[in-house]
Amino acid sequence: DIQMTQSPSTLSASVGDRVTITCRASQTINNWLAWYQQKPGRAPNLLIYKASTLESGVPSRFSGSGFGTEFTLTISSLQPDDFATYYCLQYESDSSEAFGGGTRVEI
Amino acid sequence: QVQMQESGPGLVKPSGTLSLTCTVYGDSITSSKWWSWIRQPPGKGLEWIGDIYHSGGTNNNPSLKRRVTMSVDKSKNEFSLKLTSVTAADTAIYFCARRIFYDGTTYYHPFDSWGQGTLVTVSS
């Protein structure tokens, strides 16, 4: 069973900051990793898939990288609309812990 | 543009069965997609429950597998979840979602569309 460890759990930042969130898999998942943004009361929204491919309509300030077991989501210049919780998801195999624990980005 | 809508009781008694349905609009339940359930306890993270294909094939979270039954109703373009022997720990927002089964290149796809979610509380 693959476990996903996401860090940090909370991140305090300001508008304009460069922000990096990390997700680590307990075993290799190649590049079968996605990143989601979730705002309160809403469903998660797909930002990035295949570790680094930007979903259509997602601003270019979001980027993803990594392969194997270590992955990062970077927001190059944090905007007011980006304050939210971010989750990684591994979709290489069925797992009881497919999602990371989440990172809340707050002011 | 696909839209997905969960429906079902918002309150279930302990030891009872949670039953939810997801109606799909803008996509066919018989298309090459996995139809999925994901839940989120209030204030906590996301947990994948399982997927079902229109043929009836399923993928399941090992930790929930023994309590989960999923089904598809092609005539209504909807799919359903039943979770038995519920406890307070099953209180959560339940989302339905979809992911591509196979796009001609790969079988690996993330969830790309979600319903808005429905809160189910387990309480007597």
Side-chain angles (χ1 to χ4, degrees):
Chain A
D1 211 31
I2 299 174
Q3 279 85 46
M4 303 302 294
T5 303
Q6 191 173 335
S7 62
S9 55
T10 305
L11 190 159
S12 296
S14 302
V15 172
D17 283 355
R18 183 181 181 86
V19 165
T20 299
I21 299 168
T22 298
C23 212
R24 182 175 292 113
S26 60
Q27 61 193 74
T28 183
I29 56 171
N30 296 301
N31 62 347
W32 304 120
L33 184 107
W35 290 99
Y36 292 85
Q37 177 192 69
Q38 187 181 31
K39 296 183 178 179
R42 304 288 296 274
N45 182 49
L46 179 63
L47 299 175
I48 288 169
Y49 60 96
K50 231 162 85 169
S52 60
T53 302
L54 207 62
E55 175 74 339
S56 175
V58 174
S60 58
R61 63 181 179 273
F62 291 92
S63 64
S65 64
F67 190 91
T69 62
E70 195 94 10
F71 302 87
T72 59
L73 170 71
T74 299
I75 309 172
S76 60
S77 178
L78 200 65
Q79 299 301 301
D81 191 48
D82 302 337
F83 291 95
T85 301
Y86 294 84
Y87 293 93
C88 62
L89 165 74
Q90 70 82 10
Y91 51 99
E92 194 274 341
S93 65
D94 300 337
S95 167
S96 58
E97 295 182 31
F99 288 95
T103 297
R104 182 180 173 193
V105 177
E106 59 182 27
I107 300 173
Chain B
Q1 173 96 3
V2 63
Q3 290 188 314
M4 305 173 73
Q5 179 67 55
E6 305 89 350
S7 59
L11 181 65
V12 181
K13 288 183 167 32
S15 77
T17 297
L18 180 159
S19 297
L20 294 173
T21 296
C22 181
T23 305
V24 180
Y25 304 96
D27 193 5
S28 172
I29 205 80
T30 59
S31 62
S32 184
K33 309 288 189 326
W34 287 108
W35 302 100
S36 308
W37 291 98
I38 296 149
R39 69 180 183 178
Q40 184 172 39
K44 296 189 177 180
L46 298 160
E47 180 180 34
W48 170 70
I49 299 171
D51 317 307
I52 186 165
Y53 196 66
H54 62 77
S55 62
T58 60
N59 302 315
N60 291 278
N61 182 327
S63 69
L64 295 170
K65 184 176 182 177
R66 287 188 298 176
R67 297 196 291 134
V68 167
T69 302
M70 292 177 287
S71 60
V72 168
D73 187 331
K74 298 175 192 176
S75 67
K76 295 181 179 179
N77 215 48
E78 61 187 31
F79 62 105
S80 298
L81 169 72
K82 289 189 188 301
L83 180 67
T84 61
S85 304
V86 298
T87 69
D90 294 309
T91 293
I93 298 169
Y94 285 76
F95 296 99
C96 58
R98 74 167 193 187
R99 49 181 169 177
I100 295 169
F101 171 69
Y102 183 64
D103 65 357
T105 302
T106 181
Y107 289 96
Y108 299 106
H109 294 279
F111 308 106
D112 63 357
S113 291
W114 298 60
Q116 65 186 24
T118 188
L119 175 63
V120 179
T121 301
V122 178
S123 175
S124 55

Short mmCIF file of all heavy atoms in Angstrom, two decimals, chain A residues 1 32 34 36 38 41-44 46 49 55 87 89 91-99 101, chain B residues 38 40 44-48 51 59-63 95 99 106 108-112 114-116:
data_model
loop_
_atom_site.label_atom_id
_atom_site.label_comp_id
_atom_site.label_asym_id
_atom_site.label_seq_id
_atom_site.Cartn_x
_atom_site.Cartn_y
_atom_site.Cartn_z
N ASP A 1 0.85 -1.20 0.00
CA ASP A 1 0.00 0.00 0.00
C ASP A 1 0.89 1.25 0.00
O ASP A 1 1.70 1.44 0.88
CB ASP A 1 -0.88 -0.03 1.25
CG ASP A 1 -2.23 0.62 1.04
OD1 ASP A 1 -2.72 0.56 -0.10
OD2 ASP A 1 -2.78 1.18 1.99
N TRP A 32 2.97 9.45 -11.87
CA TRP A 32 1.51 9.40 -11.76
C TRP A 32 1.05 10.13 -10.52
O TRP A 32 0.56 9.55 -9.55
CB TRP A 32 1.02 7.96 -11.80
CG TRP A 32 1.47 7.20 -13.01
CD1 TRP A 32 2.22 6.07 -13.03
CD2 TRP A 32 1.24 7.55 -14.40
NE1 TRP A 32 2.46 5.67 -14.33
CE2 TRP A 32 1.86 6.55 -15.19
CE3 TRP A 32 0.54 8.58 -15.04
CZ2 TRP A 32 1.83 6.58 -16.58
CZ3 TRP A 32 0.50 8.60 -16.42
CH2 TRP A 32 1.14 7.61 -17.17
N ALA A 34 -0.88 13.87 -9.12
CA ALA A 34 -1.68 15.05 -9.42
C ALA A 34 -1.71 15.96 -8.20
O ALA A 34 -1.50 15.53 -7.07
CB ALA A 34 -3.11 14.64 -9.79
N TYR A 36 -4.21 19.05 -6.41
CA TYR A 36 -5.53 19.65 -6.37
C TYR A 36 -5.52 20.85 -5.43
O TYR A 36 -4.80 20.87 -4.44
CB TYR A 36 -6.57 18.65 -5.84
CG TYR A 36 -6.85 17.50 -6.77
CD1 TYR A 36 -6.05 16.37 -6.75
CD2 TYR A 36 -7.91 17.55 -7.67
CE1 TYR A 36 -6.31 15.30 -7.61
CE2 TYR A 36 -8.17 16.49 -8.53
CZ TYR A 36 -7.37 15.37 -8.49
OH TYR A 36 -7.62 14.32 -9.34
N GLN A 38 -8.27 23.01 -3.05
CA GLN A 38 -9.62 22.96 -2.49
C GLN A 38 -9.87 24.19 -1.63
O GLN A 38 -9.08 24.51 -0.75
CB GLN A 38 -9.84 21.70 -1.65
CG GLN A 38 -11.29 21.53 -1.20
CD GLN A 38 -11.53 20.31 -0.35
OE1 GLN A 38 -10.66 19.85 0.38
NE2 GLN A 38 -12.73 19.74 -0.47
N GLY A 41 -15.83 24.49 1.48
CA GLY A 41 -17.16 24.23 0.95
C GLY A 41 -17.21 23.83 -0.50
O GLY A 41 -18.31 23.72 -1.07
N ARG A 42 -16.05 23.61 -1.10
CA ARG A 42 -16.00 23.28 -2.52
C ARG A 42 -15.31 21.94 -2.74
O ARG A 42 -14.56 21.45 -1.88
CB ARG A 42 -15.21 24.36 -3.28
CG ARG A 42 -15.74 25.77 -3.11
CD ARG A 42 -17.03 26.00 -3.85
NE ARG A 42 -16.87 25.87 -5.28
CZ ARG A 42 -16.50 26.86 -6.08
NH1 ARG A 42 -16.25 28.06 -5.60
NH2 ARG A 42 -16.39 26.66 -7.40
N ALA A 43 -15.56 21.36 -3.90
CA ALA A 43 -14.84 20.16 -4.28
C ALA A 43 -13.41 20.53 -4.70
O ALA A 43 -13.16 21.65 -5.11
CB ALA A 43 -15.55 19.46 -5.44
N PRO A 44 -12.49 19.58 -4.59
CA PRO A 44 -11.14 19.83 -5.09
C PRO A 44 -11.14 20.12 -6.59
O PRO A 44 -11.98 19.60 -7.33
CB PRO A 44 -10.41 18.52 -4.79
CG PRO A 44 -11.16 17.93 -3.65
CD PRO A 44 -12.60 18.29 -3.91
N LEU A 46 -8.64 20.12 -10.01
CA LEU A 46 -7.39 19.59 -10.55
C LEU A 46 -6.52 20.71 -11.11
O LEU A 46 -6.96 21.49 -11.95
CB LEU A 46 -7.70 18.57 -11.65
CG LEU A 46 -6.52 17.91 -12.35
CD1 LEU A 46 -5.67 17.09 -11.38
CD2 LEU A 46 -7.00 17.03 -13.51
N TYR A 49 -1.41 17.30 -13.44
CA TYR A 49 -1.40 15.85 -13.51
C TYR A 49 -0.12 15.38 -14.18
O TYR A 49 0.62 16.19 -14.76
CB TYR A 49 -2.64 15.31 -14.24
CG TYR A 49 -2.78 15.78 -15.67
CD1 TYR A 49 -2.33 15.00 -16.73
CD2 TYR A 49 -3.36 17.02 -15.96
CE1 TYR A 49 -2.45 15.43 -18.04
CE2 TYR A 49 -3.48 17.46 -17.27
CZ TYR A 49 -3.04 16.66 -18.30
OH TYR A 49 -3.15 17.09 -19.60
N GLU A 55 -3.22 21.48 -15.97
CA GLU A 55 -4.58 21.29 -16.46
C GLU A 55 -5.02 22.55 -17.21
O GLU A 55 -4.63 23.67 -16.86
CB GLU A 55 -5.52 20.99 -15.29
CG GLU A 55 -7.01 20.88 -15.62
CD GLU A 55 -7.39 19.59 -16.34
OE1 GLU A 55 -6.52 18.95 -16.96
OE2 GLU A 55 -8.59 19.24 -16.30
N TYR A 87 -3.79 19.38 -2.12
CA TYR A 87 -3.61 17.95 -1.91
C TYR A 87 -2.87 17.33 -3.09
O TYR A 87 -3.13 17.68 -4.24
CB TYR A 87 -4.95 17.24 -1.78
CG TYR A 87 -5.74 17.58 -0.55
CD1 TYR A 87 -6.69 18.60 -0.58
CD2 TYR A 87 -5.55 16.89 0.64
CE1 TYR A 87 -7.44 18.92 0.56
CE2 TYR A 87 -6.28 17.21 1.79
CZ TYR A 87 -7.22 18.22 1.72
OH TYR A 87 -7.95 18.53 2.85
N LEU A 89 -2.19 13.61 -5.04
CA LEU A 89 -2.86 12.33 -5.25
C LEU A 89 -1.95 11.45 -6.09
O LEU A 89 -1.51 11.86 -7.16
CB LEU A 89 -4.18 12.53 -5.99
CG LEU A 89 -4.80 11.27 -6.60
CD1 LEU A 89 -5.40 10.38 -5.51
CD2 LEU A 89 -5.85 11.62 -7.65
N TYR A 91 -1.89 8.18 -8.41
CA TYR A 91 -2.85 7.33 -9.11
C TYR A 91 -2.15 6.21 -9.86
O TYR A 91 -2.62 5.71 -10.88
CB TYR A 91 -3.77 8.15 -10.01
CG TYR A 91 -3.10 9.11 -10.97
CD1 TYR A 91 -2.90 8.77 -12.30
CD2 TYR A 91 -2.72 10.38 -10.55
CE1 TYR A 91 -2.32 9.65 -13.20
CE2 TYR A 91 -2.14 11.28 -11.43
CZ TYR A 91 -1.94 10.91 -12.75
OH TYR A 91 -1.36 11.80 -13.63
N GLU A 92 -1.00 5.80 -9.30
CA GLU A 92 -0.28 4.67 -9.87
C GLU A 92 -0.93 3.36 -9.47
O GLU A 92 -0.91 2.40 -10.23
CB GLU A 92 1.19 4.72 -9.41
CG GLU A 92 2.13 3.80 -10.17
CD GLU A 92 2.19 2.40 -9.63
OE1 GLU A 92 1.79 2.18 -8.47
OE2 GLU A 92 2.61 1.51 -10.39
N SER A 93 -1.51 3.32 -8.27
CA SER A 93 -2.14 2.08 -7.81
C SER A 93 -3.20 2.37 -6.77
O SER A 93 -3.21 3.44 -6.16
CB SER A 93 -1.08 1.15 -7.22
OG SER A 93 -0.54 1.71 -6.05
N ASP A 94 -4.10 1.41 -6.59
CA ASP A 94 -5.14 1.54 -5.58
C ASP A 94 -4.50 1.50 -4.20
O ASP A 94 -3.71 0.61 -3.90
CB ASP A 94 -6.16 0.41 -5.69
CG ASP A 94 -6.84 0.39 -7.04
OD1 ASP A 94 -6.87 1.46 -7.70
OD2 ASP A 94 -7.32 -0.68 -7.44
N SER A 95 -4.87 2.45 -3.36
CA SER A 95 -4.23 2.54 -2.05
C SER A 95 -5.20 3.15 -1.05
O SER A 95 -6.02 4.00 -1.41
CB SER A 95 -2.97 3.41 -2.14
OG SER A 95 -2.51 3.76 -0.86
N SER A 96 -5.10 2.73 0.20
CA SER A 96 -5.95 3.32 1.23
C SER A 96 -5.54 4.75 1.55
O SER A 96 -6.29 5.48 2.16
CB SER A 96 -5.91 2.46 2.49
OG SER A 96 -4.59 2.35 2.95
N GLU A 97 -4.34 5.15 1.16
CA GLU A 97 -3.88 6.52 1.40
C GLU A 97 -3.38 7.14 0.11
O GLU A 97 -2.23 7.56 -0.01
CB GLU A 97 -2.78 6.53 2.45
CG GLU A 97 -3.28 6.07 3.82
CD GLU A 97 -2.19 6.12 4.88
OE1 GLU A 97 -1.30 6.98 4.77
OE2 GLU A 97 -2.23 5.29 5.80
N ALA A 98 -4.26 7.21 -0.89
CA ALA A 98 -3.86 7.72 -2.20
C ALA A 98 -3.59 9.22 -2.16
O ALA A 98 -2.73 9.72 -2.88
CB ALA A 98 -4.94 7.41 -3.23
N PHE A 99 -4.31 9.94 -1.29
CA PHE A 99 -4.13 11.38 -1.17
C PHE A 99 -3.11 11.71 -0.09
O PHE A 99 -3.01 11.01 0.93
CB PHE A 99 -5.45 12.06 -0.78
CG PHE A 99 -6.48 12.09 -1.88
CD1 PHE A 99 -7.46 11.10 -1.96
CD2 PHE A 99 -6.50 13.12 -2.82
CE1 PHE A 99 -8.42 11.12 -2.96
CE2 PHE A 99 -7.45 13.16 -3.82
CZ PHE A 99 -8.41 12.16 -3.89
N GLY A 101 -1.88 14.33 2.95
CA GLY A 101 -2.66 14.85 4.06
C GLY A 101 -3.14 16.29 3.89
O GLY A 101 -3.97 16.76 4.67
N ILE B 38 -15.27 9.47 -3.17
CA ILE B 38 -14.22 10.00 -2.30
C ILE B 38 -14.92 10.68 -1.14
O ILE B 38 -16.00 11.26 -1.32
CB ILE B 38 -13.36 11.02 -3.09
CG1 ILE B 38 -12.62 10.32 -4.23
CG2 ILE B 38 -12.35 11.72 -2.17
CD1 ILE B 38 -12.38 11.20 -5.43
N GLN B 40 -14.54 13.02 2.76
CA GLN B 40 -13.72 13.96 3.53
C GLN B 40 -14.40 14.26 4.85
O GLN B 40 -15.39 15.01 4.89
CB GLN B 40 -13.53 15.26 2.72
CG GLN B 40 -12.61 16.27 3.36
CD GLN B 40 -12.31 17.42 2.44
OE1 GLN B 40 -13.17 17.90 1.70
NE2 GLN B 40 -11.07 17.91 2.48
N LYS B 44 -10.98 17.60 7.72
CA LYS B 44 -9.86 16.66 7.52
C LYS B 44 -9.58 16.45 6.02
O LYS B 44 -10.12 17.16 5.17
CB LYS B 44 -10.17 15.34 8.22
CG LYS B 44 -10.29 15.48 9.72
CD LYS B 44 -10.38 14.13 10.42
CE LYS B 44 -10.43 14.31 11.92
NZ LYS B 44 -10.52 13.01 12.63
N GLY B 45 -8.73 15.49 5.75
CA GLY B 45 -8.28 15.26 4.38
C GLY B 45 -9.19 14.34 3.59
O GLY B 45 -10.24 13.89 4.05
N LEU B 46 -8.76 14.06 2.36
CA LEU B 46 -9.54 13.28 1.40
C LEU B 46 -9.19 11.80 1.48
O LEU B 46 -8.03 11.43 1.64
CB LEU B 46 -9.24 13.79 -0.02
CG LEU B 46 -9.62 15.25 -0.27
CD1 LEU B 46 -8.87 15.79 -1.48
CD2 LEU B 46 -11.12 15.38 -0.46
N GLU B 47 -10.21 10.97 1.32
CA GLU B 47 -10.02 9.52 1.33
C GLU B 47 -10.76 8.92 0.14
O GLU B 47 -11.97 9.06 0.01
CB GLU B 47 -10.53 8.90 2.63
CG GLU B 47 -10.35 7.38 2.69
CD GLU B 47 -10.86 6.77 3.97
OE1 GLU B 47 -11.86 7.28 4.52
OE2 GLU B 47 -10.28 5.77 4.42
N TRP B 48 -10.01 8.23 -0.73
CA TRP B 48 -10.62 7.53 -1.86
C TRP B 48 -11.34 6.29 -1.35
O TRP B 48 -10.80 5.53 -0.54
CB TRP B 48 -9.53 7.14 -2.85
CG TRP B 48 -9.94 6.21 -3.93
CD1 TRP B 48 -10.77 6.47 -4.99
CD2 TRP B 48 -9.56 4.84 -4.08
NE1 TRP B 48 -10.92 5.35 -5.78
CE2 TRP B 48 -10.17 4.33 -5.24
CE3 TRP B 48 -8.74 3.99 -3.33
CZ2 TRP B 48 -9.99 3.04 -5.67
CZ3 TRP B 48 -8.56 2.68 -3.76
CH2 TRP B 48 -9.20 2.22 -4.92
N ASP B 51 -13.88 2.88 -7.10
CA ASP B 51 -14.34 3.22 -8.44
C ASP B 51 -15.17 2.07 -8.98
O ASP B 51 -14.94 0.91 -8.64
CB ASP B 51 -13.17 3.40 -9.43
CG ASP B 51 -11.99 4.15 -8.90
OD1 ASP B 51 -12.17 5.26 -8.40
OD2 ASP B 51 -10.86 3.62 -9.04
N ASN B 59 -12.71 -1.02 -8.35
CA ASN B 59 -11.48 -0.88 -7.57
C ASN B 59 -11.91 -0.41 -6.19
O ASN B 59 -12.84 0.39 -6.07
CB ASN B 59 -10.54 0.17 -8.17
CG ASN B 59 -10.15 -0.13 -9.58
OD1 ASN B 59 -9.82 -1.26 -9.92
ND2 ASN B 59 -10.19 0.88 -10.44
N ASN B 60 -11.23 -0.89 -5.16
CA ASN B 60 -11.66 -0.55 -3.80
C ASN B 60 -10.50 -0.17 -2.90
O ASN B 60 -9.41 -0.73 -3.00
CB ASN B 60 -12.37 -1.75 -3.16
CG ASN B 60 -13.71 -2.03 -3.80
OD1 ASN B 60 -14.71 -1.40 -3.47
ND2 ASN B 60 -13.73 -2.97 -4.74
N ASN B 61 -10.77 0.78 -1.99
CA ASN B 61 -9.84 1.07 -0.92
C ASN B 61 -9.78 -0.16 0.00
O ASN B 61 -10.81 -0.57 0.53
CB ASN B 61 -10.32 2.30 -0.14
CG ASN B 61 -9.40 2.71 0.97
OD1 ASN B 61 -8.75 1.87 1.61
ND2 ASN B 61 -9.33 4.00 1.21
N PRO B 62 -8.61 -0.74 0.17
CA PRO B 62 -8.51 -1.95 0.99
C PRO B 62 -9.09 -1.79 2.40
O PRO B 62 -9.63 -2.74 2.96
CB PRO B 62 -7.00 -2.22 1.03
CG PRO B 62 -6.47 -1.58 -0.20
CD PRO B 62 -7.31 -0.35 -0.41
N SER B 63 -9.00 -0.58 2.95
CA SER B 63 -9.45 -0.39 4.33
C SER B 63 -10.97 -0.33 4.45
O SER B 63 -11.51 -0.46 5.55
CB SER B 63 -8.85 0.90 4.90
OG SER B 63 -9.41 2.03 4.27
N PHE B 95 -18.05 12.80 -1.93
CA PHE B 95 -17.99 13.32 -3.28
C PHE B 95 -18.06 12.17 -4.28
O PHE B 95 -17.44 11.11 -4.06
CB PHE B 95 -16.65 14.03 -3.54
CG PHE B 95 -16.40 15.26 -2.72
CD1 PHE B 95 -15.61 15.20 -1.58
CD2 PHE B 95 -16.90 16.50 -3.12
CE1 PHE B 95 -15.35 16.33 -0.83
CE2 PHE B 95 -16.64 17.64 -2.37
CZ PHE B 95 -15.87 17.55 -1.23
N ARG B 99 -12.82 9.45 -13.47
CA ARG B 99 -11.50 9.50 -14.09
C ARG B 99 -11.52 8.64 -15.34
O ARG B 99 -12.26 7.67 -15.42
CB ARG B 99 -10.39 9.08 -13.14
CG ARG B 99 -10.56 7.79 -12.38
CD ARG B 99 -9.34 7.60 -11.50
NE ARG B 99 -9.50 6.53 -10.54
CZ ARG B 99 -8.55 6.13 -9.70
NH1 ARG B 99 -7.37 6.73 -9.71
NH2 ARG B 99 -8.75 5.16 -8.85
N THR B 106 -2.65 5.49 -22.01
CA THR B 106 -2.40 5.05 -20.64
C THR B 106 -3.69 4.78 -19.89
O THR B 106 -4.76 5.35 -20.20
CB THR B 106 -1.55 6.08 -19.88
OG1 THR B 106 -1.32 5.59 -18.56
CG2 THR B 106 -2.26 7.42 -19.78
N TYR B 108 -3.61 5.32 -16.59
CA TYR B 108 -3.42 6.08 -15.36
C TYR B 108 -3.96 7.50 -15.53
O TYR B 108 -3.43 8.30 -16.31
CB TYR B 108 -1.93 6.14 -15.01
CG TYR B 108 -1.31 4.79 -14.77
CD1 TYR B 108 -0.46 4.22 -15.72
CD2 TYR B 108 -1.56 4.09 -13.60
CE1 TYR B 108 0.11 2.98 -15.49
CE2 TYR B 108 -0.98 2.86 -13.37
CZ TYR B 108 -0.15 2.30 -14.31
OH TYR B 108 0.41 1.07 -14.09
N HIS B 109 -5.00 7.81 -14.77
CA HIS B 109 -5.61 9.14 -14.85
C HIS B 109 -6.10 9.57 -13.48
O HIS B 109 -6.60 8.75 -12.70
CB HIS B 109 -6.77 9.13 -15.83
CG HIS B 109 -6.34 8.87 -17.24
ND1 HIS B 109 -5.82 9.87 -18.05
CD2 HIS B 109 -6.30 7.74 -17.97
CE1 HIS B 109 -5.49 9.35 -19.21
NE2 HIS B 109 -5.77 8.06 -19.19
N PRO B 110 -6.00 10.88 -13.18
CA PRO B 110 -6.53 11.38 -11.91
C PRO B 110 -8.02 11.70 -12.04
O PRO B 110 -8.58 11.64 -13.13
CB PRO B 110 -5.73 12.66 -11.69
CG PRO B 110 -5.53 13.18 -13.10
CD PRO B 110 -5.36 11.95 -13.97
N PHE B 111 -8.64 12.06 -10.95
CA PHE B 111 -10.03 12.51 -10.96
C PHE B 111 -10.08 13.89 -11.62
O PHE B 111 -9.42 14.81 -11.15
CB PHE B 111 -10.58 12.57 -9.54
CG PHE B 111 -10.36 11.30 -8.76
CD1 PHE B 111 -9.39 11.25 -7.77
CD2 PHE B 111 -11.09 10.16 -9.04
CE1 PHE B 111 -9.17 10.08 -7.06
CE2 PHE B 111 -10.87 8.99 -8.33
CZ PHE B 111 -9.91 8.96 -7.34
N ASP B 112 -10.89 14.02 -12.67
CA ASP B 112 -10.89 15.29 -13.38
C ASP B 112 -12.19 16.07 -13.25
O ASP B 112 -12.25 17.25 -13.61
CB ASP B 112 -10.54 15.10 -14.87
CG ASP B 112 -11.55 14.26 -15.62
OD1 ASP B 112 -12.52 13.76 -14.99
OD2 ASP B 112 -11.38 14.06 -16.83
N TRP B 114 -15.67 16.51 -10.42
CA TRP B 114 -16.21 16.15 -9.10
C TRP B 114 -17.62 16.70 -8.95
O TRP B 114 -17.94 17.75 -9.51
CB TRP B 114 -15.36 16.76 -7.98
CG TRP B 114 -13.95 16.32 -7.92
CD1 TRP B 114 -12.98 16.46 -8.90
CD2 TRP B 114 -13.30 15.70 -6.82
NE1 TRP B 114 -11.78 15.96 -8.46
CE2 TRP B 114 -11.95 15.49 -7.19
CE3 TRP B 114 -13.71 15.31 -5.55
CZ2 TRP B 114 -11.02 14.89 -6.31
CZ3 TRP B 114 -12.79 14.73 -4.69
CH2 TRP B 114 -11.46 14.51 -5.07
N GLY B 115 -18.44 16.02 -8.15
CA GLY B 115 -19.68 16.60 -7.70
C GLY B 115 -19.40 17.61 -6.60
O GLY B 115 -18.26 17.75 -6.14
N GLN B 116 -20.41 18.31 -6.16
CA GLN B 116 -20.22 19.35 -5.14
C GLN B 116 -20.05 18.76 -3.75
O GLN B 116 -19.58 19.43 -2.83
CB GLN B 116 -21.40 20.31 -5.14
CG GLN B 116 -22.72 19.66 -4.73
CD GLN B 116 -23.91 20.61 -4.88
OE1 GLN B 116 -23.87 21.56 -5.65
NE2 GLN B 116 -24.98 20.34 -4.16
#
